[in-house]
Every structure is written in C-alpha cells, then in structure tokens.
Amino acid sequence: MLGFLLTTTLLAAQSSPTDPIFLEDRGLEMVVRRRFYGIEGRNFSQAQTNVFARQLGYPWAASTSYNISAEWYLEETEAGCELTSAFLSSHLTIELPHWVNMQDASRRSQRQWQELSTRIQTHEHGHVNLAFYGMARARDLLEALPPAENCDRMAEIAGETVEGAQDWTRRNQREYDRLSDHGRDQDAVTDWVPHDDAVGRLPE
C-alpha cells in the first residue's frame, strides 16, 4: 500500500506560491499546485476569525480540488481483448489562507498563525495523498482486468473500473473529513488508513 507522500515540510506555513509539486509512480502522474486567498487582522484572533468567516461557499479554512484523467491501451488477442497498459494523471489545487499583514502582529500571534497554518496544511496533505492513492488503486485494478470478449467491452469495463476507484476515493475522502472534523481534530486520523473494503469488485 502506498504511504503518505507529502509531509508538512513541503509547504511552508506562510509563503508565496511556489512551483508545482510533481508526484509520480508507475503509470501515475500528479501535479500539485497551491493558491492563496488573503485575509487581514491586527492579531491572531482576528486573522483566525477572518479565515473561518470568508464567504466562499464553504465554512472551512482550506480546500483541495482535483480532476483525474485515465487512458489505457487495448490489444486484440486470441482470448478476445486485453488491456496492456494504463496511465492516469491528475491536476490538484490546494487553496490556503495567507495572512497578508502578519508582519505587523506580535511574535506570539505570528507563532500561533504558523501553528494553525501547519495544521491546515497537514490536513490538506491528507487529501492529496488520498487522491494519489486512489489513482494507484485505479491503476492496479485496471492492470488486473482479465480479457474481455472484444475491445468495445474491454473499454467499457475499464471505464467502469476507473469510476469505481474514484467512488472509493470519494468515500474515503469524506470519511477522512468526518473523522478529523475537517482538520479540527487532525490527531484523530494520525494512524487512519483508507478502507480497503471500500473498493468495489472488478466488473463481471
């Protein structure tokens, strides 16, 4: 099983956007970008309040969004049609808060903000890892598919397989948020791993 791929050291607690992060494994490629929304405050308490009061349609401090595309190669054989290889790619964006006038606050407020930012990013890294792990599950399921009677049916089964793996990822993303209360209780998922039994069976 793939382990967590990102650590809290990859993204500074308060910084400007950096170059994309590339995650790769056999047949997998993920590009991770981050963007920031600015908030202001004279001290940490005000900054924290402004983070959670922003009007962007959701009540949490950060978000991770991604899309996944999959392609595969088929080959006609005496047995029918086989899937010979698969490639999955994803572009992922993490949106994070940036306290624009933090330098005007006290050292204590700055330290509190750094701690909050680290907790926020740790939570979002979990979402990144789950997305990448879900891609790996899709790849493994595709590579394990038996031959189909023809390539039209093989392509149909491959599409169903990818969608099933994405359903698995979405369910585990929701479970991760539920257990951690969207990162408010991140310690609750320190040892949590995706549920293998959430993976759908291979299509008949």
Side-chain angles (χ1 to χ4, degrees):
M1 182 172 110
L2 289 178
F4 272 9
L5 302 169
L6 288 180
T7 67
T8 55
T9 59
L10 278 177
L11 300 179
Q14 169 99 0
S15 64
S16 298
T18 62
D19 292 335
I21 298 168
F22 295 92
L23 303 179
E24 295 181 323
D25 194 25
R26 177 177 48 81
L28 306 176
E29 179 182 273
M30 177 177 281
V31 181
V32 182
R33 291 182 171 87
R34 56 186 175 139
R35 65 185 182 191
F36 294 87
Y37 65 91
I39 55 95
E40 296 184 357
R42 292 194 303 271
N43 53 44
F44 170 73
S45 179
Q46 286 187 0
Q48 182 181 40
T49 297
N50 290 336
V51 165
F52 291 100
R54 67 193 180 111
Q55 299 298 313
L56 292 182
Y58 39 78
W60 44 84
S63 65
T64 296
S65 59
Y66 60 95
N67 57 21
I68 294 176
S69 62
E71 58 186 72
W72 47 80
Y73 300 92
L74 307 179
E75 180 178 329
E76 291 185 355
T77 67
E78 292 183 0
C81 185
E82 294 182 357
L83 189 150
T84 58
S85 62
F87 177 77
L88 292 94
S89 62
S90 177
H91 287 79
L92 184 147
T93 300
I94 305 173
E95 186 180 47
L96 299 163
H98 179 79
W99 185 5
V100 297
N101 61 329
M102 184 180 73
Q103 68 278 4
D104 298 330
S106 68
R107 289 185 178 179
R108 180 173 182 270
S109 282
Q110 292 185 33
R111 184 172 61 253
Q112 290 174 307
W113 176 260
Q114 300 285 2
E115 292 171 354
L116 174 63
S117 294
T118 297
R119 291 199 302 273
I120 291 171
Q121 292 182 45
T122 297
H123 178 74
E124 297 308 314
H125 293 167
H127 283 299
V128 173
N129 294 325
L130 280 168
F132 194 80
Y133 184 54
M135 289 173 60
R137 296 298 299 237
R139 176 203 60 200
D140 293 346
L141 287 170
L142 287 171
E143 292 180 347
L145 288 173
E149 59 268 26
N150 56 60
C151 287
D152 285 343
R153 178 54 182 154
M154 190 78 254
E156 182 181 351
I157 293 173
E160 294 170 355
T161 300
V162 172
E163 181 57 36
Q166 292 192 45
D167 284 344
W168 175 91
T169 303
R170 286 189 285 266
R171 289 195 297 273
N172 277 287
Q173 295 278 21
R174 290 193 295 268
E175 180 71 359
Y176 173 72
D177 270 336
R178 185 188 70 81
L179 293 173
S180 67
D181 192 17
H182 292 278
R184 295 181 182 90
D185 185 16
Q186 194 65 20
D187 290 343
V189 291
T190 299
D191 298 320
W192 179 80
V193 295
H195 297 294
D196 288 342
D197 58 4
V199 178
R201 294 181 178 178
L202 293 172
E204 298 293 338

